[in-house]
Amino acid sequence: MENRGIGGDTTRGLLNRLDQIIALKPSQIFLMIGTNDLCHNRQIPDIIVYYRRILTRFRTELPETQVYIQSVLPFNDT
């Protein structure tokens, strides 16, 4: 099992480096992304667009991979 997470990453950042993850052909993916998008005041509709693109690529290019979507962690920006 490899952890491909990067602290501070965003949905757009993950989408930009998705080829690296897909090349590993993992049997499972645990996806927890989006908190940093919210911390950077990205608009929710924009976050959803990137999230859907990520999931679409997983479904298309890794059809046998189980994808577990984990909730976005709460944050306090004060």
Side-chain angles (χ1 to χ4, degrees), residues 31-56:
L31 183 63
M32 184 188 302
I33 191 87
T35 300
N36 293 319
D37 292 282
L38 296 173
C39 290
H40 293 292
N41 295 316
R42 303 254 162 72
Q43 298 297 311
I44 291 175
D46 296 333
I47 298 168
I48 292 170
V49 166
Y50 288 119
Y51 216 105
R52 282 191 177 143
R53 289 180 186 170
I54 292 165
L55 294 174
T56 297

Side-chain angles (χ1 to χ4, degrees), residues 2-24 30-33 36 50 54 57-58 61:
E2 285 194 47
N3 180 353
R4 303 303 294 178
I6 295 176
D9 206 0
T10 63
T11 52
R12 185 175 183 179
L14 174 58
L15 186 61
N16 288 336
R17 63 187 180 80
L18 213 53
D19 289 338
Q20 300 169 18
I21 296 164
I22 290 171
L24 295 171
F30 294 85
L31 183 63
M32 184 188 302
I33 191 87
N36 293 319
Y50 288 119
I54 292 165
R57 287 212 45 209
F58 286 156
E61 299 178 50

